[in-house]
Amino acid sequence: QVQLVESGGGLVQAGGSLRLSCVASGVTFNDIIMGWYRQTPGKQRELLATITRSGATNYADFEEEGRFTISRDNSKNMVSLQINDLNAKDTAVYYCAGRFMWDSNWSFWGQGTQVTVSS
């Protein structure tokens, strides 16, 4: 059974930074591309960034690339998302997700971690 468990969310002041982490189990980590999504109430879940097993990254919104940094540690089955210069628009539930390299569907999801940015 594949499990993705996020951590690192919480309440943070505007302008601050946060590092979210996600640990995968029950799957060969090197076989999956990892990603981070976020969702705010009433909106669709949006893709933020992805990273392959070799560390190749892709950011959905180029303008945000400077504030978001995705990384992974294959030895720990872990993917992380560093978010800098947080603002109120970053308040959301953040999800890590995984999909096999040969599959376009995101098959694995974490339970989500809440990030709340206070002004």
Side-chain angles (χ1 to χ4, degrees), residues 1 35 39 44 55 81 102:
Q1 182 181 358
Q39 187 170 26
Q44 286 190 331
L81 183 70
W102 53 85

Side-chain angles (χ1 to χ4, degrees), residues 11-12 15 18 26 37-38 48 55 58 70 72 78 88 100 108:
L11 178 65
V12 63
L18 205 62
Y37 282 75
R38 70 182 178 187
L48 299 173
N58 186 59
I70 188 171
R72 68 190 281 167
M78 179 183 292
F100 288 114
F108 316 118

Side-chain angles (χ1 to χ4, degrees), residues 3-8 19-25 29 32 34-36 71-73 76-81 94-98 108-113:
Q3 279 193 316
L4 301 181
V5 179
E6 300 104 334
S7 61
R19 187 176 184 85
L20 307 178
S21 295
C22 170
V23 177
S25 61
F29 194 64
I32 58 176
M34 297 297 296
W36 284 97
S71 60
R72 68 190 281 167
D73 184 339
K76 297 181 179 178
N77 285 9
M78 179 183 292
V79 62
S80 298
L81 183 70
Y94 286 73
Y95 297 89
C96 74
F108 316 118
W109 292 90
Q111 81 284 358
T113 185

